[in-house]
Amino acid sequence: MVAEVKELHQSNTQIERMQRIFAAQKAAFRQHPYPSAEQRIELINRLRPIMANHADDWVQAINEDFTNRAADETRLAEILITLEGLKYTTRKLRKWMKPSKRSVSALSWPGKTWVEYQPLGVVGVIVPWNYPIQLAVVPIITALAAGNRVMVKMSEATPNAGALLEKLVAESFPEDQVAIFNGEVEVGQAFSQLPFDHLMFTGSTAVGRHIMRAAADNLTPVTLELGGKSPCIIGQDFPMRDACERIAFGKCLNSGQTCVAPDYILCPENRVQEFVEAWKAQVAQSYPTMLDNPDFTAIVNGRQQQRLLGYLKDAREKGAEVIEINPANEDFSNSQKIPHTLVLNVTDDMQIAKDEIFGPLMIVVPYKTLDDAIEYVNDRPRPLALYYFDWNSENCSRVLKQTHSGGVCLNDTISHVGVDDIPFGGVGDSGMGAYHGPEGFKTFSKAKGIYKKGKFNATRFILPPYGRGMHKLIEKHMIK
């Protein structure tokens, strides 16, 4: 009871702080509604030492949150990718800020028109637990590039990473520019109800629906980076060993706890056993042991672990073939780790077939023809990512044109997320809107269309009372 009262008090304190800082950021934005490129770049560059100078601190904090997170995965997927995004953004920012020239039709002549990209105001960012630093700092970079103030709600599942980011940001930014918030579910709910000028959420589709409902009360525009079951199609003639090596990069990273990790394999039916053997060999090569291997990332907490184990139990009971890859025959019963596991003979009534897996389990689905594989994908909600392995360019073109997904990798997995110059975002159940690249800058900006007329006023010839001038104008353009 005492603990519950203390937690409630902490949540109320955070909510009060949140509301106060939101008001302060709104007021500060009114005073400085259009920061220069130099001012924006200076703010963004304050994040560089936060990332680069505290690499070991980030590794330790996230490792404690996960009980074990591979240090090099943190350095690559959290720190390096973020620093590359920072470098790219500061290099491109002046170009993005330039007004975009547009043309006028004869009806608008004489005049000129253009589009200016105006900061929105205060942007809210809700961060998931799987990559807590990258998925907090990259949106901060993008929102600052667009000239905004930023408030960030970290996940309650990664309290150490959240506390470190809150501390380091407070040392580098005034709270009316960038502010970080931690806390339990109640704090997150209150955060999503604030009347932000834009709200970005990264997380599950189910929670994304709640976020959108909360934002709707304020008519707050949202960017939803969700997930879904990202398919991986292996072409009939693609070398299986190469496919498994490339798929493993996307599936094994962070033990599959990645929104764009391959969720299920569509494999030619005559090559399923070949895939199983090649996948077992690839995983065993990467992780000859797992239990005490620091390179093998654990599941973030007991709740997520039980969810994944529940999928396996349900699948077994309903007739699936479950193949656990455990090269050293280790006992994981007292660990927060789960070995990589393939699940075959899956049916649609199994929970693993319905939910995004988000862990080291992977479904294998046989297909007869490429058309069958495409139909299988299209029968399901549109995923955040799709992967296709084939050296045949005509087949690649068919898959690209006949499927929908947030993004695509051909002959690789998840690498598109690290390409700063292309948008990243979902479609349908996997989300809406995009960030990264110039599209991210535009997401957090108002594209304001402007028309300017000169001294000569041609509209005087078509003012009421309507007569010959108006009739000639209409007839001329109707005929064309």
Side-chain angles (χ1 to χ4, degrees):
M1 184 68 181
V2 174
E4 292 176 359
V5 171
K6 183 179 179 181
E7 184 178 299
L8 180 61
H9 175 72
Q10 290 173 338
S11 294
N12 289 337
T13 301
Q14 275 286 57
I15 291 170
E16 290 171 4
R17 172 175 170 258
M18 196 166 61
Q19 292 168 340
R20 175 181 60 77
I21 291 177
F22 177 77
Q25 290 204 359
K26 292 290 282 187
F29 179 76
R30 286 186 183 179
Q31 294 297 314
H32 302 283
Y34 196 90
S36 67
E38 290 72 23
Q39 290 170 324
R40 301 181 196 194
I41 291 170
E42 189 276 328
L43 288 169
I44 293 169
N45 280 331
R46 294 186 193 184
L47 294 163
R48 191 187 303 274
I50 288 177
M51 302 303 299
N53 297 350
H54 296 274
D56 291 343
D57 297 327
W58 292 123
V59 167
Q60 180 180 345
I62 296 176
N63 188 65
E64 290 173 358
D65 284 331
F66 276 74
T67 69
N68 182 74
R69 157 71 98 70
D72 287 330
E73 291 182 358
T74 295
R75 292 188 177 98
L76 172 66
E78 304 274 12
I79 301 169
L80 183 58
I81 284 182
T82 301
L83 288 172
E84 285 297 303
L86 186 153
K87 187 191 307 180
Y88 164 83
T89 300
T90 54
R91 190 173 68 246
K92 296 285 187 179
L93 180 56
R94 287 181 175 85
K95 179 182 177 181
W96 296 342
M97 288 178 65
K98 288 181 179 178
S100 173
K101 293 181 180 179
R102 304 297 172 92
S103 59
V104 297
S105 68
L107 290 174
S108 303
W109 185 87
K112 64 177 182 178
T113 188
W114 67 95
V115 175
E116 291 188 1
Y117 298 97
Q118 185 174 17
L120 290 172
V122 179
V123 171
V125 178
I126 301 177
V127 182
W129 51 260
N130 59 328
Y131 295 99
I133 306 309
Q134 182 217 132
L135 295 176
V137 178
V138 172
I140 292 173
I141 291 169
T142 313
L144 291 175
N148 299 290
R149 312 264 162 168
V150 195
M151 295 172 59
V152 178
K153 169 61 176 71
M154 302 297 288
S155 171
E156 63 275 12
T158 50
N160 292 291
L164 181 58
L165 187 63
E166 183 176 346
K167 172 181 176 291
L168 295 177
V169 164
E171 292 172 355
S172 301
F173 293 91
E175 64 182 18
D176 65 0
Q177 182 66 60
V178 181
I180 310 296
F181 301 89
N182 288 281
E184 297 301 317
V185 174
E186 298 81 9
V187 179
Q189 291 172 340
F191 187 93
S192 66
Q193 292 167 358
L194 290 172
F196 290 109
D197 297 292
H198 195 98
L199 180 60
M200 178 177 169
F201 167 79
T202 303
S204 71
T205 302
V207 178
R209 290 190 173 96
H210 293 294
I211 298 297
M212 196 167 180
R213 289 189 192 101
D217 288 339
N218 298 310
L219 293 180
T220 296
V222 294
T223 297
L224 300 178
E225 299 295 347
L226 309 178
K229 301 181 76 63
S230 294
C232 183
I233 308 171
I234 300 175
Q236 179 64 55
D237 300 320
F238 198 88
M240 192 60 75
R241 181 177 176 181
D242 291 347
C244 288
E245 184 178 71
R246 298 174 187 213
I247 295 167
F249 172 62
K251 186 63 176 180
C252 295
L253 184 73
N254 208 30
S255 276
Q257 297 167 109
T258 305
C259 58
V260 290
D263 190 281
Y264 62 94
I265 303 293
L266 282 162
C267 183
E269 63 179 3
N270 62 321
R271 303 186 71 191
V272 168
Q273 193 56 40
E274 182 187 0
F275 171 79
V276 170
E277 295 306 318
W279 184 254
K280 288 164 67 175
Q282 178 62 46
V283 172
Q285 178 181 322
S286 298
Y287 309 107
T289 64
M290 298 179 183
L291 188 62
D292 296 318
N293 185 345
D295 288 339
F296 192 82
T297 295
I299 306 306
V300 68
N301 56 37
R303 176 172 166 269
Q304 294 296 331
Q305 183 185 33
Q306 289 307 308
R307 175 183 63 83
L308 292 165
L309 294 176
Y311 291 161
L312 294 179
K313 181 176 183 292
D314 175 73
R316 282 193 183 96
E317 291 173 351
K318 293 175 180 175
E321 179 184 358
V322 176
I323 302 172
E324 181 182 278
I325 305 169
N326 184 0
N329 295 315
E330 295 167 294
D331 181 2
F332 292 88
S333 57
N334 294 317
S335 168
Q336 215 162 276
K337 294 183 176 182
I338 295 177
H340 281 276
T341 306
L342 296 177
V343 186
L344 285 69
N345 303 327
V346 169
T347 54
D348 288 343
D349 64 327
M350 296 177 186
Q351 204 61 41
I352 195 170
K354 300 174 184 179
D355 298 346
E356 179 182 7
I357 293 174
F358 222 73
L361 323 179
M362 191 157 62
I363 299 168
V364 183
V365 179
Y367 74 86
K368 292 183 178 180
T369 68
L370 183 56
D371 285 339
D372 292 336
I374 290 171
E375 185 176 358
Y376 188 93
V377 171
N378 289 338
D379 280 344
R380 285 152 179 79
R382 292 172 172 176
L384 186 56
L386 181 145
Y387 307 112
Y388 181 54
F389 289 82
D390 199 331
W391 299 127
N392 184 305
S393 58
E394 290 184 6
N395 288 343
C396 290
S397 181
R398 283 174 59 197
V399 171
L400 288 174
K401 289 180 169 58
Q402 294 178 24
T403 62
H404 284 83
S405 60
V408 174
C409 275
L410 298 175
N411 307 321
D412 201 9
T413 56
I414 79 170
S415 294
H416 64 297
V417 179
V419 180
D420 291 307
D421 207 35
I422 59 175
F424 177 70
V427 59
D429 280 26
S430 61
M432 62 180 67
Y435 71 121
H436 294 192
E439 287 80 6
F441 174 83
K442 292 177 181 177
T443 289
F444 295 127
S445 301
K446 171 66 179 88
K448 181 187 288 185
I450 302 164
Y451 172 79
K452 181 180 181 181
K453 178 168 282 189
K455 292 182 178 180
F456 178 71
N457 182 23
T459 56
R460 70 174 57 155
F461 299 110
I462 56 173
L463 291 172
Y466 300 121
R468 186 166 175 268
M470 175 66 90
H471 298 160
K472 286 183 68 175
L473 177 70
I474 292 172
E475 288 171 6
K476 177 181 178 181
H477 288 279
M478 289 290 283
I479 291 170
K480 289 184 177 181

